[in-house]
Amino acid sequence: MEKDASDPDPSRQRNGFVGVLYGEFTDMLNDRVRYSVSLTESALTIQRISSSPGRTKVVFNLTDCVGCRAYRGPDSAEVGAYFTAYFYPFKRRWMSAGVTRQRVEQCFRVALVQDPLANLQEAERWAHAIRDASARQAPRRDGVAYMEVRRPCRIMILVNPQSGRGQALQLFTGHIQGMLTEASVPYTLVITEHQNHARELVRKADLSQWDALVIMSGDGLLFEVINGLMEREDWQEAIQIPLGILPGGSGNALAASVHHYSQSPPAWNEELLLSCGFMLCKGLVGPMDLVSVHLASKQRLFSFLSLAWGFVADVDIESEKYRHVGAIRFLMGTLVRLASLRVYQGRLAYLPVKEAPKLSKGSFTTNHPPSTPQHPSLCSSLPCQFIPNTSPNQSSRHGTNSNHNTRTNSSNNAITTKRPQIESDTKTRAPVDSLLPDLDQPVPETWTVVKEEDFVLVLAIYQSHLAEDLWTVPGAMADDGLIHLFYVTAGISRPALLRLFLAMEKGAHLACGCPHLVYEKVTALRLEPVTPQGMITVDGEVVEYGPVQAQIHPGIARLMCG
């Protein structure tokens, strides 16, 4: 018979225990192997019980725990019950240097008495205590205020099955689906069928059914979602729904940036996916800047990543033909474009940070008095109750018709988040870009006008990474309120430009001392191409070619991050 030496005071267990929860349990597969298990507010400690001194002790940090579940065994005659805790600690890679998150599960058999129900209740008590404690131990960065999310959370996951090498759906079912089950996160899986499907969906959706929108694709699908949200009449509330990103494309710039912001060691490919999945399960939500982009046709777009003209835009779009090879497509595109390097003529102007009026985070600058500032509190983990998920068994490609593209696994339990009010122009129902003059008007005298008119590239970026392996702005944060402006002037040699991009893999390009590279921190910019042919991209998507200008709006979106 197993010993129950848990805290005798039940009042200490009601809303999260204080002190130590202790029990002795057997191994799931071998009843002769016994463990002493203790749970504190920060760790789960496991020690094998044996007659030999110096028993092996293993300590799991609850910061690395995504969930725990209790259950009966497959044999109906079994009196014991079980609970399993799921951890993703940093461990050394098997085949290379460095560390990465790796899955570890710890399972215990509870057989305190001969009553199966009583044993199950004890297993559930432990599972609940571990979940509750791990929720309070989400990995938070110092100085960052997170929104509070009450559990459980209902999320919609949008998957583009054609993104990257066409493996996004397989990556989801192979890596993320099980993790969400372990974390008891209920979700609805939506497989997009064509371009702008996600944009149309979120523009019309009843967002009160959802507590978060998660993208499993490249950056292009999130661009659709953000612009769909901003096209709604209730965009002030819609844009504050938490947005998550799971890397399923070839660029995955935001996913790489989110991983970097969590202060985790570098990761790529499936390791990056596992890291982003872990952060999704932990459920921290922080602010993210958006950039309002105006085109010559009066069209307005909202961007979360970058605006590019010249070499970077060419490589991004022309390398689409190499999509089947994955992230290496950008290297292939770079080499091809270097072979026939182009020079672009145009005018560039920007508003340096030192001249810009300070914009408060979480609200647009408008013609109305600012709303009362909100102070979001730290966030707890999303899930707290195990809900089994059904596996999607049918995939769909863009351009095909299917009645089985949506899988639902949601809960009726809602959550609430503290959402600051965002004001807008009452006539246009749109945020006011107070820093930008009309495109047909000259820029204000406080702006800096670049003298050079021959460029190799112009890149405005607001995240740390431009791709998984391009650490473009080492000091950037998702909510720093800055547009990081890079431009390279004509005259740079092909080897020098290649060295810049190779150095960017480690974030060392600014230390290269290249006289043709200029880096500025700005809050608004204007680009007026003179070269008749070229491409401009916003978040990797080709937009109308011609004059374009943009302004930062600090911290108005919500990003699920670590």
Side-chain angles (χ1 to χ4, degrees):
M1 190 66 63
E2 297 184 355
K3 177 181 178 183
D4 181 13
S6 58
D7 192 328
D9 183 358
S11 65
R12 296 157 67 91
Q13 309 288 336
R14 290 171 186 165
N15 296 309
F17 62 90
V18 177
V20 176
L21 185 63
Y22 177 82
E24 294 182 5
F25 310 106
T26 59
D27 185 82
M28 180 180 181
L29 301 177
N30 188 351
D31 286 347
R32 296 182 180 181
V33 179
R34 298 170 58 82
Y35 298 96
S36 65
V37 182
S38 60
L39 176 67
T40 67
E41 292 188 348
S42 61
L44 182 72
T45 302
I46 304 166
Q47 196 162 20
R48 181 168 178 171
I49 299 174
S50 65
S51 57
S52 59
R55 296 177 297 173
T56 302
K57 181 170 67 174
V58 180
V59 179
F60 289 94
N61 193 324
L62 292 179
T63 302
D64 300 324
C65 180
V66 299
C68 186
R69 68 186 185 99
Y71 51 95
R72 292 288 307 276
D75 187 355
S76 59
E78 164 72 86
V79 298
Y82 303 85
F83 68 92
T84 302
Y86 304 95
F87 297 87
Y88 288 82
F90 286 106
K91 300 177 67 176
R92 286 195 171 275
R93 294 183 175 96
W94 291 294
M95 301 297 293
S96 60
V99 296
T100 185
R101 290 200 181 275
Q102 298 179 32
R103 181 181 181 275
V104 177
E105 69 174 61
Q106 292 293 315
C107 181
F108 303 96
R109 179 175 181 267
V110 181
L112 302 177
V113 294
Q114 292 300 311
D115 182 357
L117 180 59
N119 290 327
L120 181 59
Q121 289 174 341
E122 178 66 8
E124 288 175 342
R125 187 168 76 97
W126 271 84
H128 176 79
I130 292 172
R131 286 195 302 264
D132 190 58
S134 65
R136 297 192 300 271
Q137 294 296 323
R140 301 178 174 97
R141 289 178 284 121
D142 293 338
V144 178
Y146 296 97
M147 295 176 61
E148 181 178 356
V149 180
R150 185 163 55 87
R151 299 163 286 167
C153 180
R154 305 160 303 171
I155 63 176
M156 178 194 293
I157 301 179
L158 295 113
V159 178
N160 176 2
Q162 288 189 331
S163 62
R165 289 180 290 179
Q167 298 178 329
L169 186 58
Q170 292 88 333
L171 289 171
F172 174 81
T173 55
H175 296 275
I176 301 301
Q177 187 177 48
M179 186 181 293
L180 295 175
T181 299
E182 295 166 357
S184 307
V185 176
Y187 63 89
T188 293
L189 182 64
V190 178
I191 302 174
T192 60
E193 299 177 0
H194 52 78
Q195 188 174 9
N196 284 321
H197 182 187
R199 187 172 189 161
E200 296 163 2
L201 180 65
V202 301
R203 186 170 60 231
K204 301 175 182 178
D206 178 6
L207 295 181
S208 65
Q209 298 183 36
W210 310 108
D211 303 302
L213 301 177
V214 176
I215 309 305
M216 176 78 187
S217 182
D219 298 305
L221 197 62
L222 183 58
F223 174 76
E224 286 189 26
V225 168
I226 286 176
N227 281 277
L229 294 173
M230 292 303 295
E231 290 166 0
R232 296 170 60 103
E233 289 191 2
D234 63 343
W235 61 265
Q236 296 97 325
E237 293 78 24
I239 196 57
Q240 291 180 65
I241 187 169
L243 301 171
I245 187 73
L246 296 169
S250 50
N252 303 318
L254 184 60
S257 298
V258 168
H259 174 83
H260 170 69
Y261 302 149
S262 71
Q263 300 176 333
S264 300
W268 302 271
N269 303 321
E270 293 182 3
E271 289 182 359
L272 177 62
L273 177 60
L274 195 69
S275 173
C276 291
F278 170 81
M279 286 184 279
L280 171 63
C281 291
K282 296 301 282 188
L284 294 181
V285 179
M288 179 175 69
D289 301 338
L290 292 183
V291 169
S292 175
V293 179
H294 294 255
L295 307 179
S297 63
K298 307 299 183 182
Q299 183 183 8
R300 188 183 191 188
L301 302 170
F302 288 88
S303 167
F304 67 91
L305 177 61
S306 66
L307 185 155
W309 174 58
F311 185 86
V312 171
D314 287 351
V315 169
D316 193 6
I317 302 306
E318 293 174 0
S319 65
E320 284 282 342
K321 66 184 73 167
Y322 311 122
R323 177 177 289 274
H324 62 282
V325 301
I328 200 175
R329 65 175 257 215
F330 298 108
L331 175 59
M332 297 174 65
T334 297
L335 296 176
V336 170
R337 181 45 48 213
L338 280 171
S340 54
L341 194 60
R342 298 170 181 165
V343 173
Y344 299 83
Q345 292 183 327
R347 293 180 289 272
L348 177 64
Y350 57 85
L351 180 60
V353 169
K354 62 182 179 180
E355 298 292 347
K358 186 173 180 60
L359 300 178
S360 60
K361 291 183 179 180
S363 62
F364 288 106
T365 298
T366 73
N367 295 328
H368 307 284
S371 59
T372 302
Q374 303 284 328
H375 300 283
S377 61
L378 293 177
C379 155
S380 63
S381 178
L382 301 181
C384 197
Q385 180 180 7
F386 175 68
I387 302 175
N389 291 325
T390 56
S391 301
N393 52 28
Q394 181 174 348
S395 64
S396 173
R397 298 291 179 181
H398 284 174
T400 63
N401 295 321
S402 174
N403 295 324
H404 304 281
N405 286 339
T406 304
R407 314 287 184 214
T408 303
N409 184 9
S410 60
S411 168
N412 292 326
N413 299 321
I415 69 170
T416 59
T417 54
K418 297 180 180 179
R419 295 176 176 176
Q421 294 297 315
I422 302 175
E423 297 189 38
S424 65
D425 188 293
T426 55
K427 294 181 179 180
T428 64
R429 287 185 177 151
V432 175
D433 291 331
S434 61
L435 302 181
L436 300 178
D438 291 338
L439 264 174
D440 57 359
Q441 299 295 318
V443 298
E445 294 182 357
T446 53
W447 287 44
T448 297
V449 178
V450 178
K451 295 180 180 180
E452 294 86 350
E453 293 191 350
D454 293 335
F455 300 92
V456 171
L457 67 87
V458 173
L459 172 66
I461 182 170
Y462 358 109
Q463 304 292 345
S464 63
H465 285 66
L466 187 60
E468 282 188 31
D469 56 353
L470 290 178
W471 189 9
T472 309
V473 194
M477 296 299 293
D479 62 337
D480 59 14
L482 299 173
I483 297 175
H484 301 270
L485 176 63
F486 294 84
Y487 62 89
V488 174
T489 56
I492 188 171
S493 66
R494 291 180 177 85
L497 186 59
L498 179 59
R499 284 195 297 270
L500 278 180
F501 278 90
L502 292 176
M504 197 179 293
E505 293 183 4
K506 296 183 178 180
H509 49 293
L510 293 176
C512 288
C514 177
H516 296 280
L517 172 66
V518 179
Y519 166 54
E520 296 285 349
K521 297 177 181 179
V522 310
T523 54
L525 64 92
R526 176 183 288 181
L527 171 65
E528 299 176 274
V530 175
T531 301
Q533 294 181 338
M535 284 184 285
I536 296 175
T537 60
V538 175
D539 295 353
E541 302 296 316
V542 178
V543 299
E544 170 193 351
Y545 190 70
V548 60
Q549 61 183 11
Q551 170 187 327
I552 193 82
H553 286 291
I556 63 153
R558 299 290 172 255
L559 180 65
M560 301 187 74
C561 57

